[in-house]
Amino acid sequence: MVFRKLPGVSASGMGLRLSQKFVFLLFLSGLVTLCFGALFFLPDSVRLKRIFLSKNENPAVTVGSDNELSKKVPGDPEHLRAGLKGGEGANVKLKVSRKPSVTHGARTVERSVGSRAQDERSPARAQEPAARDDYEAFKKCLLKPALGKNKGTPSDSETLQRREKVKEMMKFAWDNYKRYAWGQNELRPLTRNGHIGNMFGGLRGASIVDSLDTLYIMGLMEEYEEAKEWVQNNLNLISNGEASLFEVNIRYVGGLLSAYYLTGAEIFKQKVVELGEKLLPAFNTPTGIPRGVINLGSWSWGWASAGSSILAEFGTLHLEFLHLSQLSGNPLFTEKVMNIRKLLNKIEKPHGLYPNFLSPVSGNWVQHHVSIGGLGDSFYEYLIKSYLMSDKTDQEAKKMYYSAMEAIETNLVQKSPGGLTYVAEWRGGILDHKMGHLACFSGGMIGIGADDGPTEQRQHYLDLAAEITHTCHESYSRSATKLGPEAFRFDAGAEATATRLSDRYYILRPEVIESYMYMWRLTHDPKYREWGWEAVEALEKHCRVDAGFSGIRDVYASTVSHDNMQQSFFLSETLKYLYLLFSDDDLLPLEDWVFNTEAHPLPVIRKTCLQEHGAKHDHGQTDLE
C-alpha cells in the first residue's frame, strides 16, 4: 500500500492525518483522471472509447428546440446563416451561427485513428499525376461554352443596364472588402475592419474563395487575378481550430472546384484536393455519418462534438465529394458520401420524412423535427442536383428525391386562408405554420426537378414551384424595406409576415433571388426579373453603406439599423444569382452546370464522354465508377 511508507502512518493504514488524507485523495484522483484520459488520447483508442461511451451515446443527444442551431440575435457580429444554411431563430445561445452540431453539454474529443486517417489521405496524392488531363476532357464534354456566345449579354438595353448595376454592386462590395478586410473572412462595413469568426477552423479568406467564380463570370478580371494570387500565396490549409465540415465544404471546396472548372488554373485543383483530404477524418464514426466539426491541423485527429449530426450538413457533401474523386482519382471521397446514402435508405423514416438530427454513433434519428428550411434544406437540394449532375444516371438519388417530395407534399405543404402556398415545419406530427427565408430556395429546387418527375406530375411541380416563389416574394413585398424577414408565419391572422421580433432581420440572404433566377430560366415569365430588380433597389436603399453592404435588424422598420456584416455568401450567391437573372440563359447553361448550395457552379459529369476523351485513372475505370 502506498500510504504505508508515508511518515506517521500506522501499518494498519489507520490514523491518517487530515493533510495526509488530502494528499492521498489528490494522488488517487490524478491517477484515475490519467487512466481514463488515456482512453481518448492513445493512438488507437477508438475501440476502447466505444466500450465506455456506447451506453451513453447510443440514445444520442436529444437536441431540443431551445438548443437547435440558429442565428445569433441580429446585430451580434458573429451571426451568420444559422446551423448550415439555417437555424431555428435568433434567440439561441450558440456563439457560432450556421455552425454544425456543437453539443450543449460535455464535449467529447474523438481521435481519428492515426494510421487509418493517413491511409485515407495518401491515395489522392499517389494518384494525382494520373488526372492531369481532366480539365481538357471535361471541356470537350460540355454541350455549350461555359460563358455563352457573348458572356450572357442580354439583347435589350434595360436588362443590360440592370445587369451592369449588379456588376457595379459586386465591384463595390469587393473593393471595400479588399481595402478594409483583405485576407480575413468577411468585412464589417460600418467599423471598416475585418471579421474572422470561428466557423472555419483558422482558415482565412472566405470572401476571396467565395468570390472567385463570381468575379470571373462577371468579367472582373483584375479582381479575379488578385483573388487567384491570394489563393496561391496566402491560402494556408494548415490550422488547429475547429471548423464546420459543412461550411468549409460548401464555401472553400465548392469555391475552389468551380474556380478550377471555369478557368483550368492548376492551383485551384491542388488546393481543393489537399483540403478535401483534410475533411476525411470527420467520417471516422461508428456509422460513417460525419461529425459536424473537424480540426484541419496537420495531424490526423478529427475533433467533434458528442451530439447529433444535422441532415443538411452530412447531406450536403455529395456534389463536391464526387468532384473530389473526379479530380484526385481517389474513390474514397465518393465511397464516403455513398455510405451516407446507404444508411439513410436503410433506416425507417417517419411518414417518409427525414428528421433533421441523426446520431453518428447509433445511426438513429434524434427528435422528429422536419424542415425544408434550416437544418434540412440542402439535403433535398443535393438529391435532385446529384441526379442532374450525374447526367441523369443516378437513379437512386432520383428515387430518394421524388419519394421525399411526395412525403413533403402530403405532410408539410399548406395553403393559407389568403391563398398562399407554403411549406410548414413538422415536430413529431404537429405542424408549425412557419416558413424560413432559407426554405425559399425550394421554389427553384422544385422547378428544376419538375421535368424529370412522373409525367402526370410535371406541370404540377412547376406550378408548385411558382406558388412557393410567389409566397416568398410576398414576404418581401409586405415589409417596409421590401426585403424579407428571417422567418414568416401563417397563424394568428398573419400571412407571410414575421410575428416575432427575433425573426425580423435580413442578413443579405440569397434564397428568394435564387428561386427568381431558376423560375426565369424555366418559364421566362418577366415578373421574375421585375421581382429581382425590386430586390436590387431595396438592397441599394437599405443595405448599402459607405464601405460595403450590411444586413439589417428589422425589415419592418422604416429607419433601418445595420448589423455591420457583409456576408461572404452575399458575394457568392446573392449577387451571382442577380447577375444570372439579368443574363441570357447560355451563361452557365443548366444543361451543363449544377450550382452547389453556395452557388458555386459544378459541371455535369458525363462518364461515357469523359472515358472517350481519355479521362481515366490508373485503376482503368472512368472517374466515378
Side-chain angles (χ1 to χ4, degrees):
M1 299 289 289
V2 175
F3 57 77
R4 285 191 70 170
K5 297 184 179 181
L6 293 175
V9 178
S10 66
S12 64
M14 303 298 291
L16 281 171
R17 296 173 185 167
L18 183 61
S19 61
Q20 291 172 334
K21 290 180 181 179
F22 176 80
V23 170
F24 172 72
L25 290 174
L26 188 64
F27 170 81
L28 186 61
S29 63
L31 183 62
V32 171
T33 301
L34 181 64
C35 292
F36 278 88
L39 293 174
F40 293 91
F41 295 104
L42 288 174
D44 193 13
S45 62
V46 173
R47 292 193 190 95
L48 291 173
K49 284 171 58 186
R50 288 180 189 167
I51 293 172
F52 284 89
L53 297 180
S54 59
K55 292 182 180 179
N56 294 328
E57 287 197 5
N58 276 340
V61 177
T62 300
V63 185
S65 59
D66 289 339
N67 286 336
E68 290 168 14
L69 293 177
S70 173
K71 305 262 176 333
K72 288 185 68 180
V73 176
D76 190 307
E78 295 281 336
H79 83 274
L80 286 184
R81 282 188 264 185
L84 46 118
K85 285 179 94 178
E88 278 298 293
N91 60 342
V92 180
K93 301 175 183 178
L94 284 182
K95 291 184 179 179
V96 183
S97 55
R98 204 180 162 208
K99 185 171 179 178
S101 42
V102 179
T103 322
H104 307 284
R107 305 184 60 167
T108 58
V109 178
E110 179 166 342
R111 176 175 180 176
S112 305
V113 182
S115 58
R116 177 180 172 187
Q118 198 62 40
D119 289 343
E120 290 178 343
R121 293 185 182 192
S122 57
R125 293 198 178 111
Q127 298 185 45
E128 187 177 343
R132 299 293 183 187
D133 298 327
D134 280 353
Y135 180 70
E136 292 303 318
F138 135 76
K139 283 203 303 183
K140 293 175 182 177
C141 294
L142 292 177
L143 301 178
K144 300 177 181 178
L147 300 185
K149 295 179 180 179
N150 191 26
K151 298 184 179 179
T153 304
S155 56
D156 67 288
S157 59
E158 181 182 55
T159 304
L160 177 60
Q161 184 180 11
R162 290 176 173 184
R163 189 174 90 144
E164 286 301 306
K165 177 58 184 175
V166 175
K167 182 177 178 178
E168 183 276 330
M169 293 167 70
M170 178 66 187
K171 181 166 172 51
F172 177 75
W174 175 264
D175 287 346
N176 280 285
Y177 167 78
K178 180 185 175 184
R179 181 175 181 181
Y180 298 113
W182 185 247
Q184 298 191 59
N185 285 325
E186 286 158 321
L187 166 68
R188 298 181 188 270
L190 299 185
T191 51
R192 304 192 182 197
N193 62 337
H195 171 67
I196 294 175
N198 51 5
M199 289 193 301
F200 306 115
L203 291 177
R204 298 291 187 268
S207 289
I208 297 174
V209 178
D210 246 356
S211 297
L212 283 164
D213 51 12
T214 307
L215 295 169
Y216 187 81
I217 292 162
M218 291 185 178
L220 295 169
M221 298 312 295
E222 181 179 341
E223 291 79 3
Y224 161 75
E225 291 295 338
E226 293 168 348
K228 177 185 173 184
E229 182 179 359
W230 186 90
V231 170
Q232 183 163 354
N233 297 329
N234 300 103
L235 180 56
N236 182 6
L237 301 180
I238 298 176
S239 62
N240 287 330
E242 287 186 348
S244 162
L245 174 66
F246 169 80
E247 295 290 347
V248 170
N249 179 63
I250 67 170
R251 300 202 204 196
Y252 285 88
V253 175
L256 293 168
L257 282 172
S258 65
Y260 172 71
Y261 281 120
L262 287 170
T263 70
E266 192 69 18
I267 183 59
F268 300 134
K269 175 181 173 181
Q270 293 171 4
K271 290 286 187 181
V272 77
V273 172
E274 180 184 350
L275 179 57
E277 292 170 355
K278 292 177 176 292
L279 303 182
L280 289 173
F283 294 83
N284 292 343
T285 65
T287 60
I289 297 294
R291 298 286 193 179
V293 289
I294 185 171
N295 194 295
L296 299 174
S298 58
W299 32 267
S300 58
W301 291 22
W303 295 77
S305 76
S308 303
S309 293
I310 295 173
L311 180 67
E313 293 185 347
F314 65 77
T316 308
L317 302 166
H318 203 96
L319 304 183
E320 296 85 357
F321 273 51
L322 261 63
H323 273 290
L324 285 171
S325 282
Q326 175 79 14
L327 294 185
S328 68
N330 183 1
L332 190 60
F333 294 107
T334 298
E335 292 170 8
K336 294 295 186 186
V337 291
M338 293 307 294
N339 180 67
I340 294 173
R341 259 203 213 164
K342 182 179 179 180
L343 186 142
L344 289 177
N345 280 325
K346 183 174 65 175
I347 61 178
E348 183 179 354
K349 290 164 277 293
H351 300 281
L353 297 168
Y354 291 83
N356 289 336
F357 299 101
L358 183 76
S359 167
V361 177
S362 69
N364 296 322
W365 299 116
V366 181
Q367 188 193 75
H368 285 180
H369 171 217
V370 178
S371 169
I372 199 171
L375 306 175
D377 49 5
S378 46
F379 164 72
Y380 305 99
E381 174 188 359
Y382 271 40
L383 289 178
I384 187 60
K385 288 183 175 180
S386 294
Y387 171 67
L388 297 174
M389 197 180 78
S390 72
D391 199 24
K392 301 186 179 181
T393 62
D394 188 347
Q395 294 299 316
E396 184 178 48
K398 179 181 180 181
K399 180 180 178 181
M400 292 175 69
Y401 171 75
Y402 288 107
S403 295
M405 277 304 305
E406 183 179 353
I408 287 168
E409 275 211 82
T410 301
N411 296 282
L412 304 184
V413 174
Q414 304 289 309
K415 184 84 74 173
S416 75
L420 296 179
T421 301
Y422 63 99
V423 187
E425 298 189 3
W426 189 83
R427 299 178 184 276
I430 300 174
L431 283 182
D432 184 5
H433 295 272
K434 157 195 166 185
M435 189 169 177
H437 193 293
L438 291 159
C440 285
F441 87 99
S442 60
M445 176 190 74
I446 296 169
I448 62 173
D451 275 352
D452 296 291
T455 304
E456 68 280 5
Q457 289 282 86
R458 291 175 183 177
Q459 186 58 48
H460 165 71
Y461 280 135
L462 194 59
D463 292 342
L464 178 61
E467 291 172 13
I468 291 173
T469 304
H470 170 70
T471 297
C472 292
H473 173 256
E474 284 297 303
S475 76
Y476 274 51
S477 65
R478 298 184 185 198
S479 77
T481 58
K482 305 305 177 186
L483 294 167
E486 179 65 12
F488 44 94
R489 304 192 67 87
F490 298 86
D491 52 17
E495 290 202 4
T497 56
T499 58
R500 301 175 182 176
L501 290 174
S502 59
D503 290 335
R504 293 186 173 192
Y505 62 95
Y506 172 73
I507 56 171
L508 308 176
R509 286 200 184 280
E511 290 79 20
V512 175
I513 293 165
E514 175 183 353
S515 285
Y516 295 167
M517 189 279 290
Y518 281 119
M519 294 307 294
W520 163 256
R521 289 269 180 113
L522 295 168
T523 69
H524 285 176
D525 187 328
K527 72 182 179 184
Y528 296 113
R529 279 183 165 173
E530 290 304 314
W531 291 353
W533 184 245
E534 290 173 6
V536 169
E537 292 180 319
L539 287 166
E540 282 285 288
K541 182 177 180 180
H542 300 294
C543 298
R544 185 164 181 154
V545 294
D546 290 342
F549 287 86
S550 170
I552 58 178
R553 293 189 175 94
D554 188 348
V555 298
Y556 301 103
S558 54
T559 303
V560 299
S561 174
H562 294 101
D563 68 6
N564 194 28
M565 186 66 69
Q566 180 176 285
Q567 310 282 358
S568 81
F569 55 73
F570 178 67
L571 288 74
S572 173
E573 300 186 70
T574 309
L575 294 177
K576 184 188 287 127
Y577 284 133
L578 282 169
Y579 190 79
L580 292 173
L581 176 63
F582 299 120
S583 298
D584 284 351
D585 294 357
D586 65 350
L587 178 59
L588 297 176
L590 298 183
E591 303 96 308
D592 283 325
W593 298 90
V594 170
F595 293 88
N596 87 335
T597 200
E598 190 80 356
H600 295 304
L602 302 174
V604 170
I605 297 170
R606 297 186 168 97
K607 292 184 181 181
T608 302
C609 179
L610 289 170
Q611 186 175 17
E612 290 173 354
H613 289 92
K616 288 185 176 182
H617 299 298
D618 291 341
H619 45 73
Q621 294 178 313
T622 53
D623 295 336
L624 296 179
E625 289 178 353

